[in-house]
Amino acid sequence: MAPLVTLEKHGNLGIVALNNPPVNALSHGVRQSLSELLSRAFSDASIHAVVIWCEGRSFIAGADIREFGKTPLQPDVPEVVELLDAAKKPVIAALHGTALGGGLELALACHYRIALGSTRVGFPEVTLGLLPGAGGTQRLPRLIGVGAALDLIVSGKLISAAKAQGLGLVDVVVEEPLRASALAFAETVLLEGRPLRRVSDLVAKLDAADQLEAYRASVAQQCRGFLAPFHCIEAIRAAVDLPLGEGLARERALFIELMDSSQSKAQRHAFFAEREVTKVPGLPDATAARTLRSAVVVGSGTRARVLGACFADAALPATLLAGTQEELDNALAALRVSAAAGAGRESASTKERRAPITCSLDAGLLNDADLIAEAGAGDVTAQRASLGRIGAVAKPRAILVTAMPYADIDDIAACTQRPEDVVGLHFHQGGAARGVEIIRARDTAPEVSATLIKLTKSLGKVPVVVQGPVGSRMFTAYLREALFLLEEGALPAQVDRVLHDFGFQIGPFAESDRSGLDVEWQRRKVRFDSLDPRARACTLLDQICEQGRLGLEAGAGFYRYDADGNATHDPAIESLLLRHSKDRGIVRRTISDQEILERCLFSLINEGARVLEEGVAARPLDIDMIWIHGYAFPVYRGGPMFYADELGLASVRSAMLGYAAESGGEHQTPAPFVERLAHALKGFYSAS
Ligand code: 3H9
């Protein structure tokens, strides 16, 4: 195996090179060799300046996240950073790819930083529930000012080399080849006798006395529930208030607090799950994707336009197939409106990649498209018939996509003569969220799933391959419990507040209104015969929908909405609830926030357990990714299945049994999988 770090001499320059693929993370082995070779270079009198650079596609992308939560091994990252800070000869960091977190902290302790133009730098620690813990919060505000440091550290965003140079974070942007440019730069530093510029010698000053408080207030809403952003602000405060040594100690204490927090554990879990989720069991990494040159979306309504826009954004030219001239005109007008709304808000790369999206009445287009999505049928029967017709005319190996979130995918695939080409696709939140479910049927060909993974990943989405709808199925169980709480005595605003306080952006009723109550109502009608007696008798959704209150778009649902879409409590809904409870013989009672939270979440978790047991989702991380990226489940709780494991399934089970005994409902009966795991004192993630 190639050494992780090497020291090479080039005249009077020392080149310390890291080689720890894929991203040169600062693993224990790297830290050990790096500090040994840096010490050697610093004590070698024939070396006058040192260049640090990395092999492979990137400079150092940070500490090795896989080591977090394990016994720390020396030297740690701060020790290596301090070694650099104390260097008595010029040290130049040569950046390319990404220089992130601990990697950027290391570069900040060097005297000069040069970078290729394509480099991106940043402190993404906050996205892992952490803060830069190797001097980043102390050195960055000293170098680029408190305001810019707050923006970079609290947002966790990456910036370009040009922007970093503008901020004074990077000294020079250089051309390829980086190594030669770095050596030339080091020679210039020596020739010109440039001083050792230590960031630690600078002073961090506030722009205004209340700058930190004002910043905290400005991010309070956006960072609600998260610990790390506020710890970042406190650490930056220490850079202003304290001498470097004390500031570093304060940063360390705050870092350790976060590292030990349940939030960081959950966010680190989410980081790895996001990378694991596309390594689908039974779908070899090397599965070749089919070539896609054009897509046709059958339909011209909202669902069809969302799909068409996603395909176009993924560089796949898309045509919406309208049924009538009027539908075509409406679709074109809607496309123009959304193009105008998006103009100016999208990045240059999005604009550059986007393929055209058009609308047509020509059904002949179906014969030649590589991908055909059915998004026009109003119900499952129509969907089956339409896909059957499409399957008969589409060319061989064309992919047939169904976009009906609650349809049985095997049943739909069976309506075509080519089930291997059929797959379901569901973009959460109408394409606005990162979550996407790729629903494969029993016979879906592996390369069909691989094609959709590739397509959706190119959009920056988090695709999850499942065997049937997962998110919508679990949402139904969650909403069902929330509806039971309404008939027992709660009001929509109370339930929504409790789930919002837990960390969801919005609660189940506001969420249902936003996505349109007709979706859930339709699903209820399709499944009515299989519902348990209590769910059948809980007709609240039917009553509300029958009044035309179909949610936000209709101006009323569980709430009433003003012209700007702001929700208000509606006395009509309260009267409806009182009447319904009375008719059902239910004596309304005061329900505690804890009961609301537990019953809603445990219903969600319980349905997740069934989904796993039936093999509809292969792994708990699939469900967690769907809920974090599709339903804004708070990432700092790691997703419903991770959260359940953190609570302990034995305690989830006993709380559920308690509620089942009180309300006499089957709905709070733990799923057999929960029972088994709870008895074995295992969790979803330690099931096997
Ligand atoms: C830190 O630095 C703390 C310090 O302040 C203080 C310390 C005291 N460690 O994302 P990709 C793996 S915290 C370990 O698919 P891309 C990743 O799991 C750290 N492993 O590639 C994947 O593995 P696999 C601050 C890591 O090109 C593989 O590398 N830094 C790390 O789409 C490829 O990753 C960060 O938070 C790591 N640091 O994106 C940066 N990074 O192949 C986190 C990646 O087994 N990393 N891996 O699935 C990233 O944001 C992206 O990986 C990056 C590349 C942009 C670098």
Side-chain angles (χ1 to χ4, degrees), residues 17 76 100 164 192 218 283 350 369 399 445 512 532 542 569 576 682:
D76 56 16
L100 305 178
E192 294 178 357
S218 73
L283 189 68
T350 309
I399 295 178
S512 305
D532 66 44
D542 310 84
H569 166 79
L576 185 149
K682 287 188 164 181

Side-chain angles (χ1 to χ4, degrees), residues 22-23 25 57 61-66 68 98 100-102 105 124-125 128 132-134 252 255 271-272 275 279:
V23 295
R57 62 170 151 130
D64 189 334
I65 307 167
R66 286 178 205 278
F68 290 174
T98 45
L100 305 178
E105 291 176 296
E125 282 90 341
L128 299 167
R252 191 78 197 143
F255 177 80
F271 173 86
F272 286 116
R275 279 145 188 89
K279 296 171 191 160

